C-alpha cells in the first residue's frame, strides 16, 4: 500500500501561494514568440501553490493555493489570497479549507457561483510520520473532497463536508482540479479525477451542482479506462470550458504515454465525451482554458521540456477546434517541479497568468509566480 501511494502522489497535484515582494522585470519579447512580458513577480513566496485564479466584481482576483513549500509532504491548508490592483500585490484573505491533524488540503478546483460567491472544492491527503529529518510526511490515502463557499470574497467560509460525492468502487476519492464554471443553464460544473486502487486506470469525471455549489452529483466519465482509443484510460488533471449551449471542450493530461494533453469534446452537455486528438507535446501539462474579450480562447499549460521549464500558451479562434502556434511565456524555472498555470484577462486587455515553481536562478524557493503579458496584436 505504501508503494502505491508513493507512486500515485506524483500524478496528483494542484495548489496555491504566499508573499508581498513583487520583483518587476523589464518589458521584453520572449524567444521571438511575440509575447510581451509587461511585469513579472514573485507573488506569494514559500508555497507550492498550484494556483487557481477567480475574478469577482470590481476587479478583484482571488488565488486559491496550497500554503506549504512542499509537494504534498506537509500538513497544510487551502488559503485564498487576493489582489485589487491587477496582480501586482497580494494579501492573504482567508482559509477556504483548513486541514485537520495529520492531513493536508491541497487539491483544488475553484470558481464563482451564480450569486457571486467564491466556491472551492478541495481534497487532500491523510498523512503519517515518515521519520525523515526534514519532517516530511508519508502519504496514506486521498481524502474526500470538501466544498467551501464564501460570500465575502474569501474572508469567511461555509464548509460542506458531505457536499461532494464519495469514491466509486475500487477507486480513490475524487481529486478536484481546475475551474468551477457556471454553465449556460445556470448550473455549476466541475471536473475531478481518481485512480483505481490497483493503479491500472485513471478516470476523469464530470459533476454538476444545482444549488450554487453546496452539493454535487456525478454526470459522466470524460476518460474512463476503457474504449477503442489508446489513451482512453490514461488521463487525470483536466481543464474544460463551455463553447456553446450543449458544447464543452476539455484538455486532459495523460497519466502515461508522455504526459501530453489530449483534446476532448462533448456535444450533449457533458453526458458523453469523445477524444479528438493530441493537443500539446509530451511533457506539456496540465492546462487551463479561459475566454478573452475578443472571443478567442486561451490555453495556458505547464512546459516541462528539458531546457524550457516554465509555461506556454496557445490561442483558438474557433471555440477550440483548432489552435495557434505555441507561445513561450516563461522558460527559466529550476526544474520540472513547476507549471500549473491559471490565467485571467485584466481590464486593459493584458493577461495575468499565475504558476508555481520550486525556484528560479534568482529565487531558490517554492513560490507562486505571476506574469502580466500580451500579444502584439492585443489592444
Amino acid at each position: 500500500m505504501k508503494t502505491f501511494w508513493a507512486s500515485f502522489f506524483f500524478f496528483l497535484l494542484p495548489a496555491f501561494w504566499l508573499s508581498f515582494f513583487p520583483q518587476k522585470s523589464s518589458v521584453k519579447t520572449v524567444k521571438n514568440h511575440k509575447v510581451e512580458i509587461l511585469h513579472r513577480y514573485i507573488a506569494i513566496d514559500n508555497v507550492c501553490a498550484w494556483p487557481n485564479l477567480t475574478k469577482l466584481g470590481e476587479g478583484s482576483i482571488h488565488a486559491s493555493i496550497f500554503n506549504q513549500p512542499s509537494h504534498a509532504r506537509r500538513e497544510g491548508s487551502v488559503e485564498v489570497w487576493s489582489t485589487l490592483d491587477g496582480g501586482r500585490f497580494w494579501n492573504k484573505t482567508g482559509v477556504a479549507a483548513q486541514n485537520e491533524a495529520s492531513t493536508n488540503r491541497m487539491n483544488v478546483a475553484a470558481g464563482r457561483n451564480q450569486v457571486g460567491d467564491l466556491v472551492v472544492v478541495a481534497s487532500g491527503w491523510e498523512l503519517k510520520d515518515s521519520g525523515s529529518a526534514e519532517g516530511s510526511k508519508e502519504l496514506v490515502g486521498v481524502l474526500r473532497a470538501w466544498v467551501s463557499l464564501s460570500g465575502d470574497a474569501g474572508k469567511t467560509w461555509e464548509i460542506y463536508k458531505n457536499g461532494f460525492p464519495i469514491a466509486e468502487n475500487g477507486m480513490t476519492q475524487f481529486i478536484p482540479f481546475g475551474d468551477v464554471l457556471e454553465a449556460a443553464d445556470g448550473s455549476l460544473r466541475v471536473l475531478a479525477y481518481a485512480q483505481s486502487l490497483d493503479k491500472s486506470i485513471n478516470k476523469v469525471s464530470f459533476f454538476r451542482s444545482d444549488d450554487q455549489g453546496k452539493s454535487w452529483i456525478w454526470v459522466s466519465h470524460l476518460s474512463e479506462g476503457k474504449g477503442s482509443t489508446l489513451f482512453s484510460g490514461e488521463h487525470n488533471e483536466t481543464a474544460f470550458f463551455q463553447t456553446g449551449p450543449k458544447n464543452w471542450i476539455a484538455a486532459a493530461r495523460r497519466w502515461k504515454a508522455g504526459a501530453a494533453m489530449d483534446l476532448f469534446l462533448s456535444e450533449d452537455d457533458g453526458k458523453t465525451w469523445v477524444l479528438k486528438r493530441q493537443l500539446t507535446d509530451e511533457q506539456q501539462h496540465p492546462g487551463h482554458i479561459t475566454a478573452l474579450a475578443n472571443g478567442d480562447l486561451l490555453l495556458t499549460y505547464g512546459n516541462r521540456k528539458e531546457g524550457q521549464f516554465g509555461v506556454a500558451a496557445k490561442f483558438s479562434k474557433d471555440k477550440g477546434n483548432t489552435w495557434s502556434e505555441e507561445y513561450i511565456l516563461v522558460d527559466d524555472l529550476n526544474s520540472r517541479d513547476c507549471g500549473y498555470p491559471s490565467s485571467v484577462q485584466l481590464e486593459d486587455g493584458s493577461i495575468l497568468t499565475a504558476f508555481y515553481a520550486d525556484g528560479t536562478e534568482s529565487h531558490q524557493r517554492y513560490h507562486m509566480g505571476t506574469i502580466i503579458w500580451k500579444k502584439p496584436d492585443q489592444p
Side-chain angles (χ1 to χ4, degrees):
M1 199 62 170
K2 184 184 298 184
T3 303
F4 166 72
W5 292 120
S7 61
F8 180 38
F9 141 74
F10 288 102
F11 306 111
L12 294 188
L13 309 169
F16 310 108
W17 25 72
L18 240 136
S19 160
F20 292 111
F21 305 105
Q23 298 178 359
K24 180 177 177 180
S25 69
S26 58
V27 176
K28 63 178 182 178
T29 299
V30 180
K31 278 194 164 183
N32 297 318
H33 284 269
K34 302 178 181 178
V35 174
E36 281 188 275
I37 305 299
L38 306 177
H39 305 281
R40 181 170 177 177
Y41 303 112
I42 304 297
I44 307 171
D45 193 17
N46 205 34
V47 295
C48 187
W50 302 302
N52 182 290
L53 300 182
T54 303
K55 290 176 72 174
L56 292 182
E58 299 179 353
S60 66
I61 302 168
H62 307 270
S64 302
I65 68 162
F66 178 51
N67 68 352
Q68 295 298 314
S70 170
H71 215 87
R73 299 286 182 160
R74 290 189 187 182
E75 296 184 20
S77 301
V78 175
E79 294 180 348
V80 171
W81 287 64
S82 303
T83 179
L84 300 175
D85 62 5
R88 289 159 176 80
F89 290 91
W90 296 79
N91 292 286
K92 179 182 171 182
T93 307
V95 180
Q98 178 65 58
N99 66 298
E100 298 171 334
S102 299
T103 72
N104 60 39
R105 289 281 161 180
M106 45 158 276
N107 302 104
V108 170
R112 57 173 290 172
N113 65 15
Q114 300 91 326
V115 297
D117 297 338
L118 282 173
V119 181
V120 168
V121 185
S123 70
W125 289 89
E126 181 186 353
L127 305 170
K128 69 177 182 179
D129 290 336
S130 65
S132 74
E134 313 86 54
S136 64
K137 306 288 185 179
E138 218 172 274
L139 304 175
V140 177
V142 180
L143 301 174
R144 182 180 179 180
W146 293 346
V147 181
S148 303
L149 273 67
S150 174
D152 56 9
K155 298 180 181 67
T156 60
W157 294 84
E158 292 183 44
I159 299 178
Y160 300 85
K161 295 185 178 181
N162 298 314
F164 208 75
I166 61 173
E168 299 175 281
N169 289 337
M171 305 293 291
T172 66
Q173 296 287 350
F174 292 111
I175 301 161
F177 178 82
D179 287 339
V180 174
L181 296 177
E182 183 178 355
D185 65 4
S187 65
L188 295 181
R189 310 297 177 92
V190 76
L191 293 175
Y193 66 97
Q195 188 178 64
S196 60
L197 299 180
D198 65 4
K199 299 187 293 180
S200 63
I201 58 171
N202 283 350
K203 295 183 180 183
V204 180
S205 292
F206 189 55
F207 299 87
R208 174 188 181 111
S209 173
D210 291 297
D211 58 6
Q212 300 179 3
K214 296 175 184 177
S215 65
W216 295 81
I217 59 171
W218 182 91
V219 176
S220 66
H221 286 126
L222 182 147
S223 178
E224 60 180 339
K226 60 184 179 181
S228 59
T229 58
L230 176 61
F231 305 113
S232 61
E234 306 298 338
H235 298 90
N236 44 46
E237 294 157 326
T238 301
F240 73 123
F241 199 82
Q242 189 166 26
T243 57
K246 299 289 186 180
N247 291 4
W248 297 83
I249 60 168
R253 173 187 176 178
R254 294 179 190 170
W255 174 39
K256 297 179 181 178
M261 289 194 299
D262 290 319
L263 180 67
F264 283 78
L265 173 67
S266 173
E267 297 181 322
D268 57 7
D269 203 23
K271 294 181 180 67
T272 60
W273 297 82
V274 177
L275 188 152
K276 301 297 288 185
R277 61 182 172 277
Q278 185 172 327
L279 188 56
T280 64
D281 293 340
E282 294 183 359
Q283 300 302 321
Q284 293 188 314
H285 61 82
H288 177 261
I289 303 172
T290 192
L292 302 179
N294 66 356
D296 290 356
L297 294 181
L298 167 65
L299 171 71
T300 45
Y301 49 94
N303 189 5
R304 296 184 174 187
K305 290 183 178 181
E306 194 70 37
Q308 300 180 26
F309 300 142
V311 178
K314 293 183 179 184
F315 296 85
S316 175
K317 292 185 175 296
D318 56 9
K319 299 183 178 181
N321 185 46
T322 61
W323 293 84
S324 72
E325 64 177 316
E326 179 174 277
Y327 291 81
I328 299 296
L329 307 184
V330 177
D331 65 354
D332 61 356
L333 304 181
N334 273 358
S335 74
R336 287 186 174 86
D337 196 0
C338 71
Y340 286 76
S342 181
S343 300
V344 296
Q345 189 168 30
L346 302 177
E347 296 301 316
D348 65 359
S350 62
I351 298 163
L352 170 66
T353 296
F355 56 92
Y356 94 98
D358 66 352
T360 66
E361 183 177 351
S362 60
H363 189 83
Q364 296 292 324
R365 282 198 298 264
Y366 274 111
H367 64 275
M368 179 181 101
T370 56
I371 56 171
I372 299 172
W373 60 280
K374 66 177 185 177
K375 291 171 60 183
D377 58 358
Q378 285 183 266

